[in-house]
Amino acid sequence: MLDLTTLFIERFGTSTAEQSVQYYFSPGRVNLIGEHIDYNGGQVLPIAISQGIRAAVRPTTNKLIRIQSINNNGELTVDIDTEGFAKRPNNWMNYPLGVIYKLWKSQQKLKKHLRIFETGFEMLIDSNLPMGSGLSSSAALEVVVAYVLFNQSYKKNLNQNDFMRVTLAILCQKAENDFVGVKCGIMDQFAVAMSKQNHALLLECDTLRYQYVPFQMRKYAMVILNTNKPRALADSKYNERKAECEQALNIIKKHSAIKQLCEATLNDLDFIDNPTLLRRARHVITENTRVTQTAKALIEGNWIQVGELLNLSHQSLRDDYEVTGFELDTLSSIARHTEGCVGSRMTGAGFGGCAIAIVKNELLEDFKITVANEYHKQTGLRLGIYDVSAQDGVKEL
Ligand code: ADP
Ligand code: MG
């Protein structure tokens, strides 16, 4: 922590008010399986990872919120008295600002006075999460800011308080949707806020019902493989796929009493004539089943089965949903064919970003070298590799 403290003092100076610096950690997350089904009433199975955002925070009494990032330029300064919540041109600032603004609006609505808006704080963040690679650096940033705001406002112990954690996850999602303008689902913020060490989080995105599933690898290891290919197409294709799912749902609805595409069965596919829509719907239905099967396999500690389900998920995202692309297909295929690997798939929105792989422990180091070399040979790109373990959600250190 010494580094962050030194940098904090360099940037914000020593305090005259004897206020001490507090530390927080907000993890990134990776989704094991359940891709592109959150907006179809499906379930996801993320874990929080050990990479994330550290924050040093010092309360003040000057009614200013000041936030700096070691990973991005400039300072977000919010003057609470003048309600300085206008969107900033420096886009990273809009993630924390959106969260602050949403909380401000909700206190106005509830006619409450939250302590944080009577006081203020200074905050410095530092991250070892790649930005824009699908490991949810944006949710890590939003959630750590929300956690600090809640922590300074309520006299409740957030560590033990799932209700408050869910509330702050929803607040953060709304901030990203309405303020930043990114139409993400709830998974990222929920995973960052609610994950538990050595567990995956089985979440129904629609109802927010959730359950913890053991995630203990013993003879195996999981790695995240970063293609280092920017997710250029992801946004436009995301909207296109969403629209296609809606069309498929509307066709099936004429025959079956379902509300969401994930409720459909494979038999319902007979109603769809359009081959593209049929494949999109098939991915959604089979992927949702694979999530249930993966959770069961995790409970049984059957990693071979988990690996097979990851492979099937990738195949479905490649052939039926068509959101993989050259780099992700090349990478997961190399991984799958390298000794020791029991399964691999893309994770996140697709068209770049990351894949995951499950590998036998004793072959892990060789696996990393082989896959990195082969990936570079076939794509000209450098591979990023991160070891994975299932960690707790956001916390005060
Ligand atoms: P992902 O969430 O997959 O990493 P996003 O595009 O959703 O990708 O979010 C990345 C954005 O979040 C960055 O471009 C930046 O604006 C903001 N961000 C994330 N981490 C930091 C950080 N440590 N410091 C400043 N801004 C950050
Ligand atoms: Mg994000």
Side-chain angles (χ1 to χ4, degrees):
M1 261 323 136
L2 188 72
D3 279 345
L4 195 58
T5 310
T6 311
L7 289 165
F8 183 93
I9 301 293
E10 257 174 47
R11 286 168 182 241
F12 293 109
T14 47
S15 167
T16 46
E18 301 257 317
Q19 292 278 22
S20 60
V21 180
Q22 309 158 357
Y23 298 92
Y24 297 83
F25 181 76
S26 184
R29 66 95 191 94
V30 70
N31 190 22
L32 302 179
I33 197 159
E35 217 62 80
H36 280 282
I37 57 170
D38 56 341
Y39 49 85
N40 289 303
Q43 21 173 21
V44 291
L45 192 59
I47 56 172
I49 57 178
S50 51
Q51 295 78 5
I53 295 181
R54 289 187 306 152
V57 176
R58 186 168 61 196
T60 59
T61 50
N62 56 8
K63 296 184 93 177
L64 284 181
I65 295 174
R66 298 175 62 195
I67 303 179
Q68 293 190 24
S69 166
I70 290 184
N71 322 105
N72 251 322
N73 292 330
E75 176 179 287
L76 170 67
T77 315
V78 183
D79 184 336
I80 296 166
D81 275 337
T82 61
E83 301 190 14
F85 302 119
K87 232 175 144 169
R88 305 297 200 263
N90 199 336
N91 196 45
W92 77 265
M93 297 178 189
N94 292 318
Y95 292 87
L97 182 57
V99 173
I100 296 165
Y101 177 68
K102 281 283 170 191
L103 190 64
W104 171 264
K105 288 305 268 184
S106 79
Q107 79 150 18
Q108 278 192 324
K109 218 160 127 193
L110 298 170
K111 297 197 167 47
K112 264 189 171 170
H113 289 286
L114 291 180
R115 215 172 73 84
I116 188 63
F117 296 117
E118 307 293 328
T119 52
F121 63 87
E122 295 152 341
M123 179 173 192
L124 177 64
I125 62 165
D126 185 17
S127 171
N128 61 357
L129 278 174
M131 291 185 232
S133 293
L135 301 182
S136 223
S137 67
S138 61
L141 175 55
E142 290 150 11
V143 168
V144 77
V145 170
Y147 196 88
V148 170
L149 293 168
F150 277 42
N151 207 31
Q152 307 287 335
S153 291
Y154 301 104
K155 285 268 168 280
K156 294 183 177 129
N157 182 355
L158 289 178
N159 271 336
Q160 315 291 334
N161 197 319
D162 284 355
F163 176 77
M164 295 291 274
R165 282 171 176 265
V166 172
T167 307
L168 77 80
I170 294 169
L171 182 101
C172 289
Q173 185 209 5
K174 285 192 181 139
E176 184 155 342
N177 289 170
D178 305 341
F179 196 87
V180 182
V182 177
K183 301 283 167 225
C184 58
I186 186 69
M187 168 171 69
D188 297 356
Q189 293 80 5
F190 207 95
V192 172
M194 291 294 290
S195 286
K196 284 210 193 317
Q197 198 175 41
N198 297 326
H199 290 82
L201 179 68
L202 179 62
L203 171 68
E204 283 177 22
C205 297
D206 213 25
T207 60
L208 296 192
R209 277 205 299 235
Y210 62 92
Q211 182 185 327
Y212 295 102
V213 178
F215 183 93
Q216 276 166 318
M217 300 203 69
R218 299 192 173 94
K219 290 187 206 149
Y220 296 93
M222 184 175 282
V223 279
I224 294 172
L225 307 168
N226 188 349
T227 60
N228 279 316
K229 158 96 187 341
R231 295 169 302 175
L233 274 170
D235 289 349
S236 62
K237 291 289 176 186
Y238 182 87
N239 293 333
E240 196 180 295
R241 293 294 174 274
K242 252 179 128 167
E244 288 165 342
C245 288
E246 249 173 70
Q247 288 177 49
L249 174 64
N250 285 334
I251 295 168
I252 296 174
K253 264 181 166 174
K254 289 184 191 144
H255 309 273
S256 301
I258 59 165
K259 288 203 182 76
Q260 314 237 41
L261 200 47
C262 279
E263 295 166 36
T265 64
L266 289 174
N267 289 337
D268 290 326
L269 295 177
D270 292 345
F271 301 123
I272 306 178
D273 292 329
N274 179 317
T276 306
L277 294 185
L278 187 146
R279 283 185 290 118
R280 305 297 188 246
R282 187 166 57 200
H283 166 72
V284 169
I285 297 165
T286 57
E287 182 76 353
N288 202 37
T289 306
R290 280 188 291 271
V291 178
T292 311
Q293 292 169 335
T294 306
K296 186 164 170 281
L298 283 178
I299 291 166
E300 291 163 359
N302 187 345
W303 288 94
I304 303 283
Q305 170 98 42
V306 175
E308 276 166 18
L309 289 159
L310 296 193
N311 290 342
L312 289 171
S313 171
H314 187 92
Q315 208 177 313
S316 176
L317 288 156
R318 181 190 64 202
D319 302 336
D320 278 351
Y321 219 65
E322 296 182 276
V323 291
T324 50
F326 171 68
E327 290 78 7
L328 279 169
D329 285 334
T330 305
L331 177 56
S332 69
S333 166
I334 294 169
R336 223 170 287 136
H337 291 103
T338 300
E339 203 189 350
C341 181
V342 299
S344 172
R345 74 170 198 95
M346 62 151 271
T347 180
F351 300 105
C354 293
I356 51 175
I358 299 172
V359 188
K360 282 190 185 140
N361 264 337
E362 67 271 20
L363 294 166
L364 182 64
E365 291 314 308
D366 289 345
F367 171 89
K368 288 179 183 172
I369 295 166
T370 308
V371 174
N373 286 341
E374 196 56 36
Y375 178 70
H376 184 257
K377 208 154 85 189
Q378 293 190 32
T379 63
L381 293 168
R382 194 183 52 77
L383 184 70
I385 307 179
Y386 316 91
D387 292 317
V388 174
S389 56
Q391 298 296 331
D392 282 329
V394 64
K395 61 183 171 194
E396 188 171 353
L397 297 173

